[in-house]
Amino acid sequence: MSEFRVNNERKPVAPYMAIGISAVSYGISKRADIQRNLDNIENLINGAITTVDINMPVKLVVLAEGSLTGFTDEVFDLPHKFCSEELFIDIPGPETERLGKLAKQFRTHIVVQCKARWPEVISDRYFNTLFIIGPDGTIVHKAAKNHLWCREHSCTPHDVYDRWVELFGDGIDAFYPVYKSDEIGNIGTICCSDGEYPEAVRALAFNGAEVVCRPSEAMPMTGSSYPGGGGWMIQNQGHAQFNSLYMICPNVGPVYVTPEMSHPFDVGGGSSHICDYLGNVISYNASGTNSIVAATIDIEQLRQFRTMNLNSNWTKDLRTELFKHMYDEPIHPKNLWLNSEPKTHSEVDEVYRQNIQRLIDRGTYTEPYLKFEGCRNQCAPTTAEEWREISKLWDK
């Protein structure tokens, strides 16, 4: 007779509905402009939950990247320190307080991405930040994006590595923390480019993650394959499959870069999705314009799969010793912005070119027979004088 026992140390996690929201994003010229994005988010959360909760209680809402603070800093290649001082938020702050009221109203968790200052780490810097607001309206989790799109101006923990380690240590939980909840399971958060690296979700999985929220990706990474989603969807299905976890992936909505735009720029191309722990896409939406994906998350079913199975719960038989020297030699330099603010797009491009040369030198990459000019930044950074004129568009 098979063994059966009850774990008396905790209660089971009931199945619940999770929603990913793709919101139209409005560019900002000052912190006060964020209120327009908050207005849109509030309407979307109201509409999404009242539509979906007839199926099952909604206990997790995930917002796409750019929904709150937009992309002004990277679009205009603005100075980092200026953006830190003038554009972005503190956590907690008035913006998180307003979102907290929504979480409390609907008794749900809300996962948010934004650009935010971390003054306790370093002054005059902002980080691409993900945080979770609990059903009581308080912030229960905060994490920083660790890998950036090459045109992003944010600071990362690796860019101020020595200071980050001084405060939080050098374990994987310092860079990939997991929020553990008796109500919705163990939740990890990454954003966009972080998911280009299998190590990111693997780190969250090792820390216990059962659901990983990965908002947003842009063209051309989302444009290949049918019905859509491109490499972004392939990656997320792989993350789910390799690590036996759910992936919730709402894509960035169309972006109004400035208020004068008649039509927004659809940078992501939609294709939001949710994957189950087998890598199956269980919710998909081709549209990215104020749209949602929604699916049932069954944490207890996942836990049974992980612990009863001897075949496709791959983490259980990982031969860790085989890989332990793979990262002995660094590729991307740490502490880049410990003593100076992040540079312009063109200047940072040179850092990545040096990384490529480093891989060639060590034999990881083989040089092609012919050499041509590679990609380059084709837009000059915005000067302070130019920005003063551009920002007047918001005054109208």
Side-chain angles (χ1 to χ4, degrees):
M1 187 167 70
S2 62
E3 181 184 2
F4 173 81
R5 64 184 178 87
V6 175
N7 186 339
N8 293 315
E9 296 178 359
R10 61 173 183 80
K11 295 180 180 179
V13 180
Y16 61 88
M17 189 68 71
I19 296 174
I21 294 181
S22 295
V24 169
S25 176
Y26 298 97
I28 64 173
S29 71
K30 54 187 178 300
R31 187 171 176 178
D33 296 328
I34 295 172
Q35 294 304 313
R36 185 177 187 185
N37 284 321
L38 280 167
D39 290 342
N40 190 42
I41 289 168
E42 186 170 326
N43 290 332
L44 287 172
I45 289 178
N46 272 282
I49 291 180
T50 55
T51 299
V52 170
D53 67 359
I54 191 68
N55 297 275
M56 199 167 287
V58 176
K59 295 187 179 181
L60 183 60
V61 176
V62 184
L63 300 180
E65 185 179 23
S67 299
L68 191 63
T69 51
F71 304 96
T72 301
D73 57 324
E74 49 201 82
V75 170
F76 292 100
D77 199 0
L78 293 172
H80 182 95
K81 183 178 178 181
F82 166 82
C83 294
S84 178
E85 294 172 346
E86 301 293 331
L87 298 184
F88 298 132
I89 73 170
D90 296 310
I91 300 174
E95 298 83 7
T96 66
E97 183 178 345
R98 185 172 172 186
L99 290 167
K101 290 178 181 177
L102 282 172
K104 198 169 183 177
Q105 173 187 345
F106 290 109
R107 291 186 296 164
T108 190
H109 294 77
I110 302 177
V111 181
V112 188
Q113 177 278 339
C114 67
K115 308 285 180 66
R117 295 181 285 264
W118 288 48
E120 68 273 32
V121 175
I122 190 167
S123 61
D124 300 329
R125 302 282 193 280
Y126 65 87
F127 295 77
N128 192 327
T129 305
L130 295 112
F131 62 94
I132 301 176
I133 301 174
D136 64 353
T138 64
I139 294 165
V140 296
H141 168 90
K142 187 168 77 166
K145 187 176 180 181
N146 288 289
H147 294 87
L148 300 179
W149 179 52
C150 300
R151 291 287 184 266
E152 186 176 335
H153 267 308
S154 304
C155 197
T156 75
H158 189 257
D159 294 328
V160 292
Y161 183 83
D162 289 351
R163 174 61 177 160
W164 196 273
V165 168
E166 177 187 348
L167 292 175
F168 306 115
D170 63 355
I172 56 173
D173 56 326
F175 303 97
Y176 291 99
V178 171
Y179 168 62
K180 297 187 176 180
S181 163
D182 292 337
E183 186 176 12
I184 59 172
N186 304 334
I187 313 298
T189 56
I190 58 172
C191 179
C192 193
S193 299
D194 235 352
E196 311 284 1
Y197 307 88
E199 296 86 350
V201 179
R202 177 55 54 86
L204 291 169
F206 267 116
N207 276 342
E210 296 163 323
V211 178
V212 171
C213 308
R214 183 201 177 184
S216 306
E217 186 58 276
M219 290 287 185
M221 286 74 76
T222 58
S224 60
S225 76
Y226 179 84
W232 181 51
M233 182 181 287
I234 291 170
Q235 289 169 6
N236 294 329
Q237 290 182 270
H239 288 314
Q241 234 281 341
F242 292 141
N243 298 292
S244 303
L245 46 75
Y246 290 94
M247 294 290 298
I248 303 177
C249 309
N251 205 3
V252 54
V255 179
Y256 285 93
V257 179
T258 70
E260 73 168 0
M261 292 180 68
S262 299
H263 305 284
F265 170 48
D266 190 1
V267 63
S271 294
S272 298
H273 52 278
I274 298 175
C275 302
D276 70 9
Y277 54 84
L278 296 173
N280 300 311
V281 176
I282 55 175
S283 183
Y284 174 84
N285 196 328
S287 171
T289 306
N290 285 348
S291 59
I292 69 169
V293 285
T296 301
I297 305 297
D298 193 334
I299 296 296
E300 291 299 326
Q301 185 184 57
L302 165 61
R303 290 174 178 174
Q304 294 288 3
F305 175 83
R306 283 179 166 184
T307 57
M308 293 179 68
N309 190 5
L310 294 180
N311 177 36
S312 47
N313 48 346
W314 310 115
T315 309
K316 73 179 188 313
D317 43 26
L318 188 64
R319 272 69 167 171
T320 56
E321 294 85 356
L322 303 181
F323 308 107
K324 66 180 181 179
H325 293 303
M326 192 158 63
Y327 303 117
D328 284 348
E329 295 182 59
I331 298 171
H332 190 81
K334 65 181 180 181
N335 292 321
L336 271 176
W337 316 129
L338 187 61
N339 298 308
S340 64
E341 66 176 291
K343 305 300 183 185
T344 64
H345 295 336
S346 293
E347 291 172 305
V348 174
D349 281 357
E350 294 307 311
V351 175
Y352 291 109
R353 289 192 179 94
Q354 291 168 18
N355 292 350
I356 292 171
Q357 188 59 51
R358 198 170 289 117
L359 290 170
I360 291 171
D361 293 342
R362 71 168 61 170
T364 302
Y365 285 178
T366 300
E367 283 191 293
Y369 182 74
L370 299 174
K371 296 186 71 172
F372 301 96
E373 180 188 23
C375 66
R376 56 189 172 89
N377 179 39
Q378 295 177 258
C379 299
T382 302
T383 65
E385 293 76 15
E386 290 169 334
W387 177 247
R388 277 194 285 270
E389 289 301 313
I390 294 170
S391 63
K392 291 178 182 178
L393 295 171
W394 279 264
D395 298 334
K396 300 175 183 179

